Amino acid sequence: MSKKLKGNLMLLLTSLIWGSAFVAQVVGMDHIGPFTFNSVRNFVGSVFLLIVIPFLKNNAPHDPKEAPATENKNVLLKGGVFCGVMLFIASSLQQFGVLYTTAGKAGFITTLYVVIVPIIGLFLGKKVSKKIWFCVCLAAVGLYLLSIKGDLSVNLGDFLVFLCAIFFSFHILVIDYFSPQVDGVKMSCIQFFICGLLNTVAMFIFEAPSVSAIRMSIIPILYAGALSSGVGYTLQIVAQKDTDPTIASLILSLESVFAVIAGVLLLNESLTLRELSGCVLMFIAIVIAQLPEKAPLKEIQNG
């Protein structure tokens, strides 16, 4: 099996793990609150990465030029803290959102971060192409079909998950800023710890956690923590060494499709034709947004 094919299969497994994690989030809150779930989940993810980090020392980039500069511990800590705060806000909104909406819809709306990121970039001085604006409009129509009911009201869960997508966009931009300077897996380990710590504070303020209740939700917690956070992130890091980034992003966007499939198969959820049409439009927008731009003819000739 070629390295490229192996990498693509690993990314496909990553998208499957991330998509089905929405089911774990729904089931996990049958006995515990959102902050309790996220607290334990993130600590599990952090501990898991602490265990695997020593085994990733030989996982350096193939090209020495791609390796980050001498790692600055202060930058690593700063990046981990910022990422952890963004992840805390985004995951909390998502976790509350899935209380009021389906796992499938939550998966699709969350994936809107692919379109939201370039919009935020516009305010940071980055140009947005006509193609991206088209994707934004197409995704907006899909979101309307998926979330807006006959009385033009928005489901609370859909709205919370949409806010979650916005904060996940900020999270992606923060990672984009810090990741070239530090070890991505180490920064992820720190972010999970910070996120777990913030969730623990919120847990004791807003909820009444108990060990017995956590034990009753241990399977979905371990799945979301070790597999979705730990394994999923590690697979992505390892696989993208041998895979074209455009192909990688397209495969990972299948997370939203697996979220719907998992919701239907495991939670007996269903989508109306209108909601399904919205999902299809949003998925098309997400895919188109990730396709590479054609280089201008002059640029090709000069190259």
Side-chain angles (χ1 to χ4, degrees):
M1 182 184 297
S2 67
K3 289 184 177 181
K4 185 175 182 180
L5 177 58
K6 184 178 180 180
N8 287 343
L9 290 176
M10 292 171 68
L11 287 171
L12 183 63
L13 177 59
T14 301
S15 63
L16 172 61
I17 292 173
W18 285 351
S20 57
F22 283 99
V23 173
Q25 289 177 238
V26 173
V27 176
M29 290 189 296
D30 285 343
H31 306 287
I32 58 178
F35 291 120
T36 302
F37 182 89
N38 278 336
S39 172
V40 184
R41 168 192 180 173
N42 279 282
F43 282 132
V44 169
S46 182
V47 171
F48 179 86
L49 288 182
L50 276 176
I51 295 173
V52 302
I53 282 175
F55 298 96
L56 296 177
K57 288 183 178 179
N58 295 324
N59 190 39
H62 296 316
D63 186 352
K65 294 180 180 179
E66 297 178 1
T70 303
E71 192 168 85
N72 186 314
K73 292 184 179 180
N74 290 330
V75 175
L76 176 64
L77 180 60
K78 186 177 180 180
V81 170
F82 274 115
C83 288
V85 172
M86 289 295 108
L87 184 61
F88 165 70
I89 298 173
S91 60
S92 296
L93 287 168
Q94 184 186 71
Q95 202 66 30
F96 275 103
V98 296
L99 286 173
Y100 306 102
T101 189
T102 64
K105 289 170 70 176
F108 267 103
I109 297 173
T110 299
T111 318
L112 269 178
Y113 60 71
V114 180
V115 179
I116 297 173
V117 167
I119 296 179
I120 297 176
L122 182 65
F123 294 95
L124 299 177
K126 299 181 180 180
K127 294 182 179 180
V128 178
S129 66
K130 293 181 180 179
K131 183 192 75 173
I132 296 299
W133 284 121
F134 170 76
C135 293
V136 170
C137 294
L138 189 62
V141 174
L143 183 60
Y144 175 83
L145 293 175
L146 182 64
S147 304
I148 306 299
K149 310 304 178 184
D151 58 358
L152 297 182
S153 63
V154 179
N155 178 288
L156 176 60
D158 298 335
F159 178 70
L160 291 175
V161 176
F162 180 67
L163 289 179
C164 138
I166 294 176
F167 278 96
F168 268 130
S169 299
F170 285 115
H171 179 249
I172 291 172
L173 291 172
V174 171
I175 289 178
D176 180 67
Y177 177 80
F178 284 103
S179 60
Q181 308 174 58
V182 298
D183 184 303
V185 179
K186 290 181 180 178
M187 186 172 71
S188 184
C189 180
I190 295 174
Q191 78 162 350
F192 288 143
F193 177 78
I194 294 298
C195 187
L197 191 62
L198 292 174
N199 273 290
T200 300
V201 174
M203 173 184 73
F204 284 111
I205 294 176
F206 299 105
E207 299 172 359
S210 67
V211 175
S212 59
I214 293 175
R215 286 177 179 173
M216 296 176 70
S217 302
I218 194 64
I219 299 301
I221 287 175
L222 289 177
Y223 185 93
L227 288 180
S228 180
S229 297
V231 175
Y233 185 88
T234 304
L235 281 176
Q236 181 190 16
I237 294 294
V238 174
Q240 286 197 213
K241 291 196 308 178
D242 303 306
T243 305
D244 179 86
T246 301
I247 301 300
S249 62
L250 287 172
I251 296 174
L252 290 176
S253 70
L254 290 175
E255 168 193 357
S256 56
V257 175
F258 286 125
V260 170
I261 295 175
V264 171
L265 295 179
L266 302 178
L267 298 180
N268 295 318
E269 295 177 351
S270 61
L271 292 174
T272 65
L273 181 59
R274 175 190 174 94
E275 292 171 335
L276 183 59
S277 299
C279 287
V280 171
L281 287 178
M282 291 171 67
F283 180 71
I284 292 175
I286 290 166
V287 171
I288 294 177
Q290 298 177 82
L291 295 177
E293 299 277 0
K294 290 184 178 180
L297 182 58
K298 290 183 180 181
E299 183 178 324
I300 296 176
Q301 292 174 343
N302 293 334

